[in-house]
Amino acid sequence: PFPCGSARSRPKASCDVSRAPGKTWVTPSGFNTGLKVFNSLSKKKEPFIVAREGVATWYSCGPTVYDHAHLGHACSYVRFDILQRILSRLFGITVIHAMVITDIDDKIIRRSLEENVSTTTIATMYEEEFKRDMLSLQVIPPAVYLRVTENVHHIVAFIEGIINNGHAYATEEGDVYFDIQSIGHRYGKFDNKLHCFPVKSNKRHWRDFALWKQSKPQEPYWDSPWGRGRPGWHIECSTIASSVFGRQLDVHSGGIDLAFPHHENEVAQSEAYHQCGQWANYFLHSGHLHLKGSAEKMSKSLKNFISIKDFLQSYSANEFRMFCLLTRYRSAVDYSDSSMLEARTSLRTISTFTHDATAYMKGQLQCSPIQEAFLWERLAETKAAVVKALADDFDTPRAIGTVMALVYHGNCQLQPVAKSEGGTRSPAVFGAMVSYIRDVLDVFGIDQLHSKVSTSKLSGGSLEAVVEQLTHFRSEVRAFALTHQEGPKKPGLHPERVSLLKACDNLRKELAPLGVLIKDRGPSSTWELTQRKLSQREQNS
């Protein structure tokens, strides 16, 4: 049972960092999904058990909308979007996701005073920009966004419940604080040491944190039993998550920087209100994004950030998603042009394989006889290995590595020859490989088919048809130029046709920077649209 401590006044404690251990995480009852996830509450991988079969309730801390969202935010949201897609699209678990929008906060108030506009104007502007950024990154919106300002009446009631349960107190000045000492050793689940904070005169203990703040001049306020004021930071998440999911939550997610004190205080508040021993069963935390060479996380306060809008001028949403897939979601990751080039190259390798495999299936690419049984075996092994990797705390680097190995084996078989040796062709196995790879990428949120349709639409819907005709015409000219002279005394190409061959090569080189990649496969050619200009390094690869 939850210890109900007294709300009587206690002497302030000194900064003693020693403490008794917090309560041990308890394996929840419910339905075992067969997955294992790293739970920050137990600090190890645990079986992922949900309360309702085939459903996972998921709450995440959303943005504080006072400025542009940056790549550090994007990394966390994209990573958790990938996890939710894996659960729903691979393992058949419906994810009910709720996210809070913090639209009242010290930073929002400060920004509104600086720009001489209302806090509502600031919050609305950056909330809408945040949502547009998420859509541009192909992040699936939550089932519901909830704003703090629209839930203040729920927050007031939640605070009253904590007070009535003996775990919070109001001051004469109109502030309300959570009483840390009332919960004994249960505080400190995420942090092994307790940090010292300045003691305010109206707090009983240096660790007590604000649930309600009295209003100051020029600040927005709401009426409450304790006077005019506004909610503290942590209480909004406990209240809003509880208003949607009740007294039990399967998953709570956020950046690792939120573990302490934010998530620590959320747990304390929620378990004090619900009088339960374990409010959220799993806390998943994503690692920080660092600019390469910097030990600091990407942050607005440190002025070392790249806005999402600026980033998308240089790279695509698919490339950023691949960048996130190449590292574990809970690991810190270094951002640099070289790491983005690695992601871009991985996507291009996959795209090139799918185009070559499609060309082979169409009969446009002539190859030596295919080791079909070998490829069917590799495909079956890949399918099993990907599921195993993703069931093990969403190990996306291992899953991507397995897919890339399948692509490698496929490429080894697609070696073009000038003249077919005849014999049986094996298009079906390549069709299965291409379909599977597209399905896996779709699970991760990378949709190459949609990207190509978008490119075509942006160009009036006829770009692909034009490139197809151009490539076909070039192939006929090239085949004519490659025709050898007849007769034993005239070996080699026709001299007068060499200029045609050079013109074909020049056209191929000139189209590459424009995003049209033509590859000569013996006497025939294949093409693909890359959606962007290629670097010199990529053109020559």
Side-chain angles (χ1 to χ4, degrees):
F2 193 98
C4 291
S6 167
R8 67 182 183 275
S9 178
R10 297 184 179 86
K12 297 187 178 85
S14 62
C15 283
D16 181 6
V17 298
S18 62
R19 64 170 178 85
K23 185 177 179 180
T24 303
W25 180 78
V26 176
T27 303
S29 59
F31 299 88
N32 194 328
T33 63
L35 287 80
K36 286 194 172 184
V37 299
F38 186 90
N39 191 357
S40 296
L41 286 169
S42 64
K43 300 177 178 59
K44 63 180 182 178
K45 292 180 186 178
E46 303 286 1
F48 184 45
I49 298 170
V50 293
R52 185 183 297 272
E53 187 174 11
V55 175
T57 56
W58 189 307
Y59 176 82
S60 63
C61 298
T64 300
V65 283
Y66 74 98
D67 205 343
H68 306 288
H70 58 65
L71 218 53
H73 301 131
C75 189
S76 182
Y77 291 121
V78 168
R79 280 171 153 179
F80 286 124
D81 179 72
I82 290 169
L83 268 55
Q84 291 175 356
R85 286 172 181 267
I86 292 169
L87 285 177
S88 62
R89 301 188 182 189
L90 188 64
F91 295 105
I93 299 169
T94 299
V95 177
I96 307 173
H97 180 203
M99 179 183 289
V100 69
I101 299 288
T102 302
D103 59 344
I104 187 64
D105 170 86
D106 291 340
K107 296 174 182 177
I108 296 172
I109 294 171
R110 191 179 307 121
R111 188 71 177 263
S112 72
L113 294 174
E114 291 171 354
E115 299 192 10
N116 196 29
V117 295
S118 69
T119 54
T120 301
T121 299
I122 293 293
T124 300
M125 177 174 64
Y126 288 113
E127 177 186 337
E128 292 307 311
E129 183 180 288
F130 167 79
K131 291 177 179 177
R132 287 194 299 271
D133 284 341
M134 292 300 103
L135 288 175
S136 68
L137 291 169
Q138 298 160 197
V139 172
I140 298 173
V144 60
Y145 286 110
L146 298 111
R147 300 185 186 94
V148 172
T149 57
E150 295 174 354
N151 286 273
V152 174
H153 59 296
H154 292 307
I155 293 173
V156 169
F158 202 90
I159 294 171
E160 288 182 301
I162 296 174
I163 292 174
N164 292 337
N165 289 339
H167 299 295
Y169 57 92
T171 68
E172 294 180 357
E173 295 83 358
D175 296 312
V176 180
Y177 290 99
F178 188 87
D179 187 353
I180 289 290
Q181 289 188 308
S182 73
I183 63 172
H185 67 274
R186 296 174 61 87
Y187 193 75
K189 294 185 178 183
F190 293 111
D191 209 30
N192 292 326
K193 57 183 181 298
L194 296 178
H195 303 269
C196 297
F197 300 101
V199 179
K200 291 187 177 180
S201 58
N202 60 348
K203 288 169 65 172
R204 293 177 182 172
H205 191 275
W206 60 271
R207 289 185 294 167
D208 293 351
F209 57 89
L211 303 180
W212 187 262
K213 300 178 180 180
Q214 61 177 313
S215 64
K216 298 176 183 177
Q218 296 184 295
E219 285 189 355
Y221 63 83
W222 287 262
D223 291 323
S224 78
W226 318 287
R228 291 176 171 178
R230 58 186 174 89
W233 174 29
H234 316 295
I235 193 66
E236 64 187 50
C237 289
S238 293
T239 302
I240 290 175
S242 297
S243 73
V244 177
F245 299 118
R247 60 185 288 114
Q248 190 70 63
L249 178 64
D250 289 323
V251 180
H252 194 313
S253 65
I256 188 62
D257 55 314
L258 296 178
F260 188 91
H262 184 50
H263 291 164
E264 188 75 60
N265 292 346
E266 274 191 69
V267 171
Q269 296 165 158
S270 300
E271 293 180 357
Y273 176 83
H274 293 296
Q275 297 285 271
C276 65
Q278 191 163 284
W279 167 59
N281 288 325
Y282 301 89
F283 271 84
L284 307 184
H285 289 116
S286 60
H288 285 151
L289 179 75
H290 301 264
L291 288 174
K292 191 169 184 180
S294 172
E296 302 288 349
K297 70 169 184 174
M298 188 174 287
S299 168
K300 294 175 187 174
S301 59
L302 297 173
K303 307 296 184 185
N304 64 345
F305 68 90
I306 301 169
S307 74
I308 295 170
K309 186 178 296 185
D310 288 344
F311 168 82
L312 290 174
Q313 297 298 314
S314 302
Y315 300 102
S316 71
N318 279 346
E319 288 166 344
F320 185 68
R321 196 162 281 259
M322 178 58 78
F323 165 80
C324 293
L325 287 164
L326 291 173
T327 57
R328 298 295 292 265
Y329 75 92
R330 54 190 175 90
S331 300
V333 57
D334 286 335
Y335 171 82
S336 65
D337 285 337
S338 61
S339 60
M340 285 306 304
L341 182 58
E342 179 186 2
R344 175 176 285 179
T345 301
S346 297
L347 279 176
R348 186 178 165 213
T349 299
I350 294 171
S351 179
T352 299
F353 167 71
T354 58
H355 277 81
D356 290 351
T358 302
Y360 174 81
M361 287 186 281
K362 289 180 177 180
Q364 298 171 348
L365 180 60
Q366 304 299 321
C367 298
S368 299
I370 302 298
Q371 298 177 26
E372 185 174 351
F374 172 80
L375 290 181
W376 283 117
E377 290 174 7
R378 298 292 80 74
L379 177 58
E381 290 173 357
T382 300
K383 289 180 178 181
V386 166
V387 171
K388 183 177 180 181
L390 297 179
D392 182 15
D393 194 32
F394 311 101
D395 192 345
T396 58
R398 181 152 53 107
I400 290 294
T402 302
V403 171
M404 296 305 293
L406 179 65
V407 169
Y408 168 78
H409 289 305
N411 279 332
C412 287
Q413 300 290 318
L414 290 174
Q415 296 301 316
V417 294
K419 185 177 291 188
S420 175
E421 299 176 7
T424 304
R425 300 181 69 256
S426 307
V429 68
F430 285 103
M433 292 169 70
V434 168
S435 295
Y436 173 71
I437 290 168
R438 284 176 178 164
D439 288 345
V440 170
L441 293 180
D442 182 67
V443 167
F444 295 144
I446 296 175
D447 188 349
Q448 291 184 308
L449 288 176
H450 177 75
S451 298
K452 296 187 182 306
V453 170
S454 298
T455 303
S456 179
K457 286 181 178 178
L458 289 172
S459 305
S462 60
L463 178 58
E464 292 195 1
V466 170
V467 174
E468 176 66 35
Q469 291 298 320
L470 177 63
T471 306
H472 179 70
F473 175 74
R474 177 183 174 275
S475 294
E476 289 188 339
V477 173
R478 187 167 174 272
F480 176 73
L482 287 171
T483 303
H484 283 68
Q485 300 183 80
E486 296 180 356
K489 295 182 179 181
K490 298 181 179 180
L493 303 176
H494 293 274
E496 68 274 15
R497 300 182 188 181
V498 172
S499 60
L500 290 175
L501 196 59
K502 290 182 178 178
C504 289
D505 289 341
N506 289 337
L507 179 61
R508 174 176 54 81
K509 293 176 182 177
E510 289 169 2
L511 287 176
L514 302 177
V516 179
L517 193 61
I518 296 176
K519 290 192 174 183
D520 294 321
R521 305 295 192 183
S524 61
S525 301
T526 61
W527 61 270
E528 63 178 294
L529 299 178
T530 61
Q531 281 196 285
R532 55 178 177 75
K533 294 184 178 182
L534 297 168
S535 67
Q536 191 63 44
R537 173 179 172 180
E538 290 175 297
Q539 292 172 41
N540 297 331
S541 64

